[in-house]
Amino acid sequence: MKLSKTEEQLMEYLWTLEKAFLKDLVEAFPDPKPAVTTVATLLKRMTDKGFVGYTQYGNSREYHPMVKKSD
């Protein structure tokens, strides 16, 4: 399964940060920043594809990459 260009960009930020909450990933984007809902949708699609995992903390999710950058 492949990532879209936008998903790949988000994955680059996640590899750099190693672990990140949604707000951290939105902050990583250059201005103009995408909407929080847009990034949340991308993360959901990437989780469904198996590229991203998360740990639930109450209502917050800390996302982490499930694949190595070299892969």
Side-chain angles (χ1 to χ4, degrees):
M1 200 167 292
K2 290 195 68 163
L3 293 174
S4 71
K5 190 173 182 173
T6 313
E7 290 171 340
E8 203 172 300
Q9 183 181 17
L10 182 56
M11 200 70 199
E12 286 288 338
Y13 296 139
L14 200 50
W15 280 320
T16 302
L17 296 168
E18 294 180 9
K19 290 189 212 172
F21 290 97
L22 179 60
K23 64 178 176 57
D24 301 324
L25 291 167
V26 173
E27 285 299 312
F29 278 89
D31 288 327
K33 299 194 182 310
V36 173
T37 53
T38 303
V39 178
T41 301
L42 288 170
L43 285 166
K44 166 124 181 47
R45 287 198 327 227
M46 292 162 68
T47 301
D48 292 345
K49 289 179 181 179
F51 285 93
V52 175
Y54 62 86
T55 307
Q56 190 86 34
Y57 297 104
N59 290 336
S60 301
R61 291 179 176 176
E62 184 178 48
Y63 294 92
H64 56 271
M66 297 289 284
V67 293
K68 290 183 172 61
K69 188 173 183 173
S70 57
D71 296 342

